[in-house]
């Protein structure tokens, strides 16, 4: 079975002579846009819905067929070509979660160019850094984005970034969201979306190992980490996972509840479902505030969703504000078959609640920006058990030789905690390098354990080969010589019926070196005194984990700091508690929670020297 259309078949499947710079499908030629759109039209499926944009924030639902997607993408590609974009050039895309963002991605790769999507709402200096590093020929942006309580003026941010930037693109193409805001363009640098549309451009074939996109992951601004994704291997892998891992059928509706600015959006809002010919839902809203916590349920019923990919935090939010599903129970969820979760650890109580509420298997899986798709998973399409062991992320996915090592490089025993690594070569679809920095690529990922890719995650494998990812290795704390995963402590905390969310992280202690500190958020309506809940939690941890955990620092907060992709910022909390200068990433969801967190930490005897205001700075300021 041929998963992908090739303009020219490869000469050899894998060239592994220059590890870690492995090449797949060498001298094979293809085009990503053709495989996502044109081939479906050629096979008579142009009338099928490709994208459903559901935006309660703007009270609109828009459906785009494969034919409509093709027509506008080809014309935008023609406009980019007229502006000088050629094979290998870069295009920066700065847009919210709207169909035009997918169109911009596909139009770029239609020409054999390379896109770099920057999360919509990143502040000017973050955007400036990425522009200077990627050196785009053209920028494509929307004039604004929308949040539950505010409009974000993207165009103003873009203009500020370009004013600071030493790199100047030829032009910026601006899509006006006129139903929200009409913005004034700069006549010297900007061109409207409508004016940019040109004569339809044909697809340009690229070699399999030519880059598809650059996606910047977290790191210091002076050393940008631009993950560079190869085209051929990535398309093959994504197409394969839609069938084998997620078990999709040709007429299914797929919903990845993420943003295009993250790797999940690249892989499973844009490329994966469109390669497969499925319908991809783009939800511009929140789990609870737009306007109520019934939105996940409504979307499943209204759009007949077959499978969901989300982060556990989204379900924790729904559970916190509507634990009895008063809002969601009226909706029919009969089309839903599976829920896939990733991005952060999912505690057992949350997993059980999701399963009870949505009445489908909830399957955890593990992957990273660098890998582009799953490292370990439960493969629905391979009829693997839909009841994997609790807390596991599944079995190693096809092509991954996963090992767990001690810091000295020796392999651990079954169920023994260590550093998770992958034996080289990495399978198709993984990053090929870091853009413009092969040396950093080798130093960051392959130097510590020669011959292996260092995931920098901690975990273990059980006697049956199931993979358990307990935390980033930084989140394993050392209590008097005992290595304890923060996620195991959080799991125990979240068993308490009054607790909706929690973060555990290590703080300095004079005798034990480190001890855990827990900040927790209670469910809505809980009026039990903080002191009583804290005592109950300490008792629970003592019973479940044991006194070895030295668990005694516990306090209640109004909210926890998370990135927009749902990850708890434990290291930031640990640094803040230890009176270190903290730089908040531009991806933080709500920095105002730190005012209350400072109070909670000071009550526990930490962050005592923190001045007012707290000692943190935003990278975006």
């Amino acid at each position: 079975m041929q998963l992908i259309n090739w303009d020219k078949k490869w000469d050899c499947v894998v060239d592994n002579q220059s590890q870690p710079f492995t090449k797949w499908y060498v001298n094979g030629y293809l085009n990503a846009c053709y495989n996502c759109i044109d081939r479906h039209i050629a096979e008579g499926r142009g009338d099928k819905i490709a994208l459903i944009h559901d935006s309660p924030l703007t009270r609109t639902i828009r459906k785009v067929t494969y034919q409509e997607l093709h027509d506008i993408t080809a014309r935008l590609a023609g406009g980019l070509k007229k502006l000088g974009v050629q094979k290998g050039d870069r295009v920066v895309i700065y847009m919210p979660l709207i169909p035009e963002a997918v169109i911009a991605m596909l139009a770029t790769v239609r020409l054999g160019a390379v896109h770099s999507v920057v999360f919509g709402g990143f502040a000017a200096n973050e955007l400036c850094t990425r522009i200077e590093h990627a050196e785009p020929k053209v920028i494509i942006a929307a004039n604004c984005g929308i949040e539950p309580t505010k409009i974000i003026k993207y165009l103003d941010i873009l203009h500020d970034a370009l004013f600071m930037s030493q790199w100047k693109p030829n032009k910026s193409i601006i899509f006006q969201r006129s139903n929200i805001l009409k913005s004034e363009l700069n006549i010297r640098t900007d061109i409207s979306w409508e004016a940019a549309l040109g004569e339809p451009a044909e697809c340009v074939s690229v070699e399999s190992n030519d880059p598809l996109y650059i996606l910047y992951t977290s790191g210091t601004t002076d050393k940008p980490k631009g993950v560079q994704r190869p085209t051929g291997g990535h398309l093959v892998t994504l197409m394969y996972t839609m069938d084998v891992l997620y078990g999709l059928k040709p007429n299914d509706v797929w919903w990845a509840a993420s943003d295009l600015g993250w790797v999940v959006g690249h892989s499973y809002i844009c490329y994966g479902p469109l390669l497969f010919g499925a319908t991809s839902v783009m939800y511009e809203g929140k789990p609870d505030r737009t306007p109520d916590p019934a939105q996940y349920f409504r979307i499943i019923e209204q759009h007949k969703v077959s499978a969901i990919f989300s982060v556990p935090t989204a379900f924790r939010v729904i559970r916190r504000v509507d634990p009895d599903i008063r809002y969601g129970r009226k909706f029919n969820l009969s089309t839903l078959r599976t829920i896939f979760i990733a991005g952060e650890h999912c505690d057992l109580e949350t997993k059980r609640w999701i399963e009870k509420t949505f009445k489908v298997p909830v399957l955890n899986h593990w992957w990273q920006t660098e890998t582009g798709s799953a490292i370990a998973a439960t493969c629905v399409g391979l009829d693997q058990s839909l009841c994997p062991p609790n807390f596991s992320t599944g079995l190693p996915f096809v092509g991954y030789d996963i090992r767990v090592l001690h810091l000295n490089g020796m392999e651990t025993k079954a169920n023994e905690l260590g550093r998770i690594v992958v034996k080289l070569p990495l399978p198709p679809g993984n990053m090929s390098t870091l853009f413009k920095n092969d040396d950093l690529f080798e130093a960051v990922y392959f130097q510590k354990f020669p011959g292996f890719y260092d995931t920098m995650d901690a975990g273990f494998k059980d006697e049956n080969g199931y993979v358990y990812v307990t935390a980033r290795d930084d989140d394993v704390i050392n209590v008097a010589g005992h290595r304890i995963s923060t996620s195991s402590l959080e799991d125990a905390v979240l068993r308490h019926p009054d607790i909706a969310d929690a973060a555990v992280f290590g703080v300095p202690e004079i005798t034990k070196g480190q001890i855990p500190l827990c900040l927790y958020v209670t469910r809505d309506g809980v009026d039990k005194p903080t002191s009583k809940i804290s005592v109950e939690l300490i008792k629970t941890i003592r019973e479940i984990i044991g006194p070895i955990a030295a668990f005694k620092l516990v306090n209640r907060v109004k909210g926890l700091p998370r990135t927009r992709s749902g990850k708890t910022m434990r290291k930031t909390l640990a640094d803040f508690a230890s009176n270190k200068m903290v730089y908040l990433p531009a991806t933080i969801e709500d920095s105002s929670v730190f005012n209350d967190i400072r109070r909670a930490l000071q009550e526990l005897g930490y962050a005592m020297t923190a001045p007012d205001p707290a000692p943190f700075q935003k990278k975006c300021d």
Side-chain angles (χ1 to χ4, degrees):
M1 176 182 177
Q2 182 172 294
L3 300 180
I4 295 295
N5 282 65
W6 295 84
D7 299 325
K8 175 188 174 295
K9 283 292 185 70
W10 55 89
D11 293 336
C12 69
V13 174
V14 58
D15 177 356
N16 195 30
Q17 297 180 29
S18 301
Q19 288 187 358
F21 300 97
T22 304
K23 294 183 177 181
W24 288 90
Y25 310 114
V26 180
N27 289 329
Y29 283 78
L30 74 169
N31 181 272
C33 184
Y34 181 89
N35 276 280
C36 287
I37 309 176
D38 299 61
R39 71 189 181 105
H40 301 307
I41 294 169
E43 294 167 4
R45 298 195 296 273
D47 291 337
K48 185 174 181 179
I49 302 298
L51 302 172
I52 299 173
H53 181 245
D54 188 308
S55 176
L57 290 168
T58 59
R59 298 180 182 177
T60 60
I61 293 175
R62 176 182 166 199
K63 298 181 179 181
V64 182
T65 67
Y66 275 91
Q67 185 67 59
E68 291 168 335
L69 188 60
H70 169 273
D71 294 347
I72 191 70
T73 297
R75 290 191 62 198
L76 182 60
L80 289 171
K81 185 177 180 180
K82 192 173 181 179
L83 291 173
V85 176
Q86 302 176 31
K87 180 177 177 178
D89 287 338
R90 273 81 60 201
V91 174
V92 163
I93 299 169
Y94 184 60
M95 305 182 87
L97 189 64
I98 55 177
E100 284 71 21
V102 171
I103 291 164
M105 294 166 71
L106 294 173
T108 300
V109 300
R110 190 175 186 86
L111 298 176
V114 181
H115 62 69
S116 182
V117 178
V118 179
F119 176 75
F122 260 175
N125 70 332
E126 290 284 332
L127 179 56
C128 172
T129 298
R130 288 154 174 78
I131 291 171
E132 289 186 333
H133 195 254
E135 298 181 335
K137 186 73 69 73
V138 171
I139 294 175
I140 305 176
N143 70 318
C144 69
I146 186 168
E147 293 288 333
T149 58
K150 61 184 176 182
I151 294 172
I152 303 173
K153 297 180 179 180
Y154 285 18
L155 188 55
D156 290 351
I157 296 171
L158 174 60
H159 286 162
D160 289 345
L162 289 174
F163 178 78
M164 292 186 285
S165 175
Q166 295 182 35
W167 177 265
K168 308 297 182 185
N170 290 356
K171 283 287 183 181
S172 296
I173 298 173
I174 308 301
F175 178 78
Q176 294 267 18
R177 300 189 75 184
S178 53
N179 59 331
I180 303 171
L181 178 71
K182 185 74 174 177
S183 303
E184 184 175 348
L185 303 187
N186 183 323
I187 59 172
R188 290 180 291 105
T189 61
D190 302 334
I191 180 173
S192 73
W193 176 275
E194 292 77 12
L197 299 179
E199 292 296 317
E202 295 300 320
C203 296
V204 175
S205 193
V206 300
E207 201 271 337
S208 175
N209 295 282
D210 285 343
L212 178 69
Y213 66 75
I214 301 162
L215 181 59
Y216 289 93
T217 185
S218 56
T220 57
T221 55
D222 61 324
K223 284 188 177 181
K225 285 169 59 183
V227 168
Q228 182 173 301
R229 188 81 61 204
T231 301
H234 191 50
L235 298 187
V236 169
T237 299
L238 292 181
M239 183 68 170
Y240 185 67
T241 59
M242 296 305 294
D243 174 20
V244 167
L245 196 164
Y246 299 110
L248 253 63
K249 305 292 189 294
N251 293 317
D252 280 345
V253 176
W254 164 264
W255 177 23
S258 183
D259 190 276
L260 282 170
W262 313 128
V263 68
V264 172
H266 281 57
S267 292
Y268 293 113
I269 294 176
C270 180
Y271 289 110
L274 296 183
L275 285 166
F276 195 72
T279 298
S280 180
V281 174
M282 306 174 70
Y283 174 60
E284 190 181 32
K286 303 291 183 183
D288 63 327
R289 291 172 280 153
T290 51
D292 56 46
Q295 294 311 297
Y296 270 46
F297 304 87
R298 174 188 66 79
I299 290 169
I300 293 167
E301 179 187 271
Q302 186 169 353
H303 303 311
K304 297 181 171 51
V305 172
S306 309
I308 298 175
F309 183 155
S310 187
V311 292
T313 296
F315 297 102
R316 290 192 191 107
V317 167
I318 298 170
R319 184 187 183 199
R320 184 182 73 231
V321 299
D322 189 21
D324 300 321
I325 312 301
R326 292 180 296 109
Y327 288 90
R329 65 167 63 123
K330 66 181 179 180
F331 293 97
N332 184 342
L333 308 182
S334 60
T335 62
L336 187 67
R337 296 195 302 268
T338 41
I339 293 175
F340 297 90
I341 52 175
E344 57 166 340
H345 178 75
C346 183
D347 62 281
L348 188 56
E349 289 302 307
T350 297
K351 182 175 183 291
R352 286 173 174 166
W353 182 86
I354 302 170
E355 289 173 334
K356 179 183 176 182
T357 301
F358 291 87
K359 297 179 172 57
V360 296
V362 176
L363 301 174
N364 193 10
H365 61 329
W366 167 54
W367 52 301
Q368 301 176 326
T369 299
E370 289 84 352
T371 66
S373 58
I375 306 171
T378 296
C379 292
V380 175
L382 294 180
D383 294 325
Q384 292 179 348
S385 170
L386 300 186
C387 297
N390 287 329
F391 304 119
S392 86
T393 58
L395 295 165
F397 189 63
V398 177
Y400 284 95
D401 184 353
I402 297 175
R403 312 285 179 91
V404 183
L405 304 181
H406 293 293
L407 291 180
N408 64 6
M410 298 296 291
E411 202 158 347
T412 62
K413 299 175 182 177
N415 301 302
E416 186 178 5
L417 191 67
R419 186 78 154 241
I420 305 177
V421 299
V422 180
K423 187 170 174 33
L424 296 179
L426 292 173
N430 276 259
M431 60 178 174
S432 55
T433 188
L434 295 176
F435 181 59
K436 296 198 296 191
N437 206 331
D438 290 350
D439 291 340
L440 185 63
F441 174 69
E442 292 189 88
V444 169
Y445 299 105
F446 305 99
Q447 194 171 67
K448 191 161 192 173
F449 301 98
F452 295 91
Y453 163 68
D454 183 6
T455 71
M456 297 176 226
D457 279 329
F460 60 92
K461 289 200 298 184
D462 68 14
E463 57 279 355
N464 296 314
Y466 281 92
V467 179
Y468 299 74
V469 182
T470 57
R472 292 298 283 178
D473 203 47
D474 290 342
D475 295 329
V476 176
I477 58 177
N478 196 319
V479 181
H482 300 283
R483 284 167 58 81
I484 299 175
S485 167
T486 56
S487 62
S488 64
L489 297 172
E490 288 175 8
D491 282 329
V493 170
L494 288 164
R495 296 185 191 185
H496 193 290
D498 296 330
I499 305 302
D501 204 357
V504 177
F505 49 94
V507 293
E509 203 270 342
I510 193 166
T511 58
K512 297 181 183 293
Q514 268 188 315
I515 57 173
L517 188 152
C518 173
L519 300 177
Y520 63 86
V521 180
T522 56
R523 301 193 193 290
D524 288 2
V526 172
D527 55 5
K528 188 185 295 185
T530 297
S531 58
K532 181 173 176 55
I533 296 176
S534 297
V535 168
E536 291 170 356
L537 289 176
I538 292 170
K539 183 174 181 291
T540 298
I541 295 295
R542 194 172 185 87
E543 291 172 351
I544 295 174
I545 307 296
I548 192 174
F551 190 87
K552 59 184 179 181
L553 299 175
V554 193
N555 210 347
R556 186 182 199 163
V557 292
K558 296 175 183 177
L560 294 170
R562 294 188 185 275
T563 65
R564 290 178 185 266
S565 59
K567 295 180 181 178
T568 307
M569 300 168 64
R570 295 184 189 87
K571 187 177 186 305
T572 299
L573 288 170
D575 288 346
F576 188 50
S578 302
N579 298 303
K580 296 179 181 178
M581 181 67 77
V582 174
Y583 291 91
L584 298 185
T587 55
I588 188 170
E589 183 74 28
D590 180 10
S591 62
S592 66
V593 296
F594 275 94
N595 294 322
D596 184 56
I597 287 170
R598 186 207 300 113
R599 183 268 315 160
L601 291 172
Q602 290 176 342
E603 288 176 2
L604 295 172
Y606 284 83
M608 294 304 290
T609 61
D612 196 1
F616 62 83
Q617 297 178 0
K618 287 187 181 180
K619 281 187 178 179
C620 58
D621 286 346

